[in-house]
Amino acid sequence: MGSRRKVAVVADNIVSALGLSSAENYAAVVEGKSALQRYEGLWNLPTPFAASFLDCDTVSEECAREAIEGHFTLFERIVLLSVKKALAVCGADITSERTLLMLSSTKGNVDLLRQPVPDIPENRVLLGESAKAIAHFLGNPNNPLVVSNACISGSSAQIEAMRMIALGMYDTVVVTGADVLSPFIISGFQSLQALSAEPCRPFDEERLGINLGEAAATIVFQGQQPDEESMTGQWLLDKGAIRNDAFHVSGPSRTAEGCYRALQQVLKDEDQGSLAFINAHGTATLFNDEMEAVAIDRAGLNQVPVNGLKGYYGHTMGAAGILESIVSMHAADHGVVLGTRGYSELGVSRRINLSSQHRTTTKKNFVKLLSGFGGGNAALLFRKEHTPTR
């Protein structure tokens, strides 16, 4: 099979309440903006909650500019918008048989069960059918791959893309993730007493729970041979690992076994001094933040800066692993370790290197952590490719 191909990031996009491009989103985060707002009585739900919602009018106007026409749900439109904007940056051929579309989502069009939409077939509540409609509109000839693995869906999809490209199955994989909110989703998290009615505070001693958010995010990955000059200066998805500790259907392991083992795997043979930061899942729930702190401590990474982005977006579910990877790449490109919005005083049992303020760094590599229901844990190692020493 020859040399294993490297997996490069050639384009990315974020569609969220903070902006319709990755650059807009990164700038908003640097400015300390948050899309989170408190809602009371929405959908007649009895308990207030904080969340970030997309502006539907803005999405519709942008879809018109991008010639996204036809019968699509909000979920499908933001996916199409994000994918088209990412493809416009790199010019990848979405119509090629060597290009795969991969969709990451936890709920997709689940709200069609509550509120059917005229001219949208009932079967589009199925993620596979929704993905096919998206791929068909884009002109992709392949059967799209759907990854729905709870909150680690976005990282799971990236790992699958990395494997497919490295093994030569495809030259390009467009990984896109999205979720939109509905009464079903909000009430489900409320039933677990996991939602906060105020903006979330990851890792803080006063944290009260998670917020949810709407977004779509896309990364276009391409395979390149190790000696290709075009690799210089590009981001590589270098390693990825998933470890399922199967501790509990909705609660993380107290010993952080799965998260620790995933982190350990991606950092095997890695110089920990090369890490600019660890971008944590950081949901601001009592158990998740504690679990991640234990995993980071067990891995001996107490001195590496740690941050979380949920205070800016909320938990964007199927988009989270992709969106947060993109923002982290842009931050590292600018030599910034982003502050954890909402964090004030350490509220976990292990000493980890957190700050609410942005910090500077000269390092480029970073780890992205994600955990989810069912005991799923994922870790990604992103590396910035430099000019090889001769």
Side-chain angles (χ1 to χ4, degrees), residues 43-210:
W43 295 314
N44 294 316
L45 293 174
T47 306
F49 63 93
S52 68
F53 283 89
L54 289 155
D55 184 278
C56 291
D57 291 337
T58 300
V59 170
S60 295
E61 291 169 5
E62 196 67 17
C63 284
R65 280 191 283 270
E66 294 289 338
I68 297 172
E69 302 169 340
H71 302 298
F72 294 106
T73 63
L74 175 62
F75 165 73
E76 293 161 350
R77 283 186 290 143
I78 62 173
V79 169
L80 285 166
L81 191 56
S82 183
V83 170
K84 289 199 71 173
K85 285 179 173 291
L87 291 173
V89 172
C90 64
D93 185 5
I94 191 67
T95 66
S96 169
E97 292 184 353
R98 298 290 298 168
T99 298
L100 178 69
L101 177 69
M102 192 177 298
L103 176 63
S104 160
S105 183
T106 67
K107 307 296 187 297
N109 284 322
V110 69
D111 203 42
L112 288 176
L113 295 174
R114 176 184 72 96
Q115 192 171 31
V117 177
D119 301 316
I120 300 290
E122 290 182 3
N123 68 353
R124 291 260 279 279
V125 74
L126 303 174
L127 272 171
E129 295 302 318
S130 182
K132 288 177 184 177
I134 292 167
H136 178 75
F137 180 85
L138 294 169
N140 186 258
N142 296 310
N143 196 35
L145 180 64
V146 171
V147 177
S148 187
N149 190 10
C151 297
I152 70 169
S153 298
S155 291
S156 299
Q158 292 183 70
I159 292 170
E160 187 62 21
M162 178 182 66
R163 291 170 177 167
M164 288 182 164
I165 289 173
L167 295 174
M169 297 173 65
Y170 294 95
D171 296 326
T172 303
V173 179
V174 179
V175 177
T176 184
D179 268 306
V180 295
L181 299 179
S182 68
F184 171 78
I185 296 172
I186 296 295
S187 60
F189 276 90
Q190 285 183 332
S191 71
L192 296 171
Q193 299 183 350
L195 289 189
S196 170
E198 307 302 328
C200 64
R201 306 183 65 175
F203 296 99
D204 189 76
E205 66 173 355
E206 299 294 333
R207 66 190 185 277
L208 297 173
I210 196 172

Side-chain angles (χ1 to χ4, degrees), residues 275-287:
L275 294 179
F277 54 84
I278 298 169
N279 179 243
H281 192 37
T283 61
T285 60
L286 289 175
F287 294 141

Side-chain angles (χ1 to χ4, degrees), residues 18 28-37 50 198-204 207 209 211 279 282-284 289 306-314 337-345 354-358:
L18 291 180
V29 171
V30 169
E31 291 173 17
K33 295 180 179 179
S34 174
L36 296 169
Q37 296 183 43
E198 307 302 328
C200 64
R201 306 183 65 175
F203 296 99
D204 189 76
R207 66 190 185 277
N211 305 143
N279 179 243
T283 61
D289 293 4
V306 176
N307 65 6
L309 297 174
K310 300 296 191 295
Y312 302 96
Y313 295 97
V337 179
L338 293 167
T340 300
R341 195 178 195 280
Y343 170 76
S344 178
E345 188 166 346
L354 279 155
S355 175
S356 61
Q357 303 300 312
H358 303 329

Side-chain angles (χ1 to χ4, degrees), residues 343-382:
Y343 170 76
S344 178
E345 188 166 346
L346 193 66
V348 291
S349 66
R350 309 300 175 93
R351 182 63 55 179
I352 56 176
N353 188 358
L354 279 155
S355 175
S356 61
Q357 303 300 312
H358 303 329
R359 295 175 279 177
T360 60
T361 181
T362 58
K363 301 172 183 178
K364 294 298 182 183
N365 304 342
F366 68 89
V367 168
K368 170 70 196 132
L369 293 178
L370 220 60
S371 298
F373 288 169
N377 300 274
L380 305 172
L381 174 63
F382 284 88

Side-chain angles (χ1 to χ4, degrees), residues 7-14 21-23 81-94 158 161 165 171-177 216-224 230 233-237 322-323 325-327 329-330 333 382 384:
V7 181
V9 176
V10 297
D12 56 68
N13 172 268
I14 297 171
S21 70
S22 298
L81 191 56
S82 183
V83 170
K84 289 199 71 173
K85 285 179 173 291
L87 291 173
V89 172
C90 64
D93 185 5
I94 191 67
Q158 292 183 70
I165 289 173
D171 296 326
T172 303
V173 179
V174 179
V175 177
T176 184
T218 301
I219 297 178
V220 181
F221 292 105
Q222 283 187 345
Q224 297 173 343
S230 60
Q234 286 184 308
W235 280 103
L236 305 178
L237 178 51
I322 304 166
L323 181 154
S325 293
I326 294 170
V327 174
M329 283 187 278
H330 283 253
D333 277 337
F382 284 88
K384 194 65 179 280

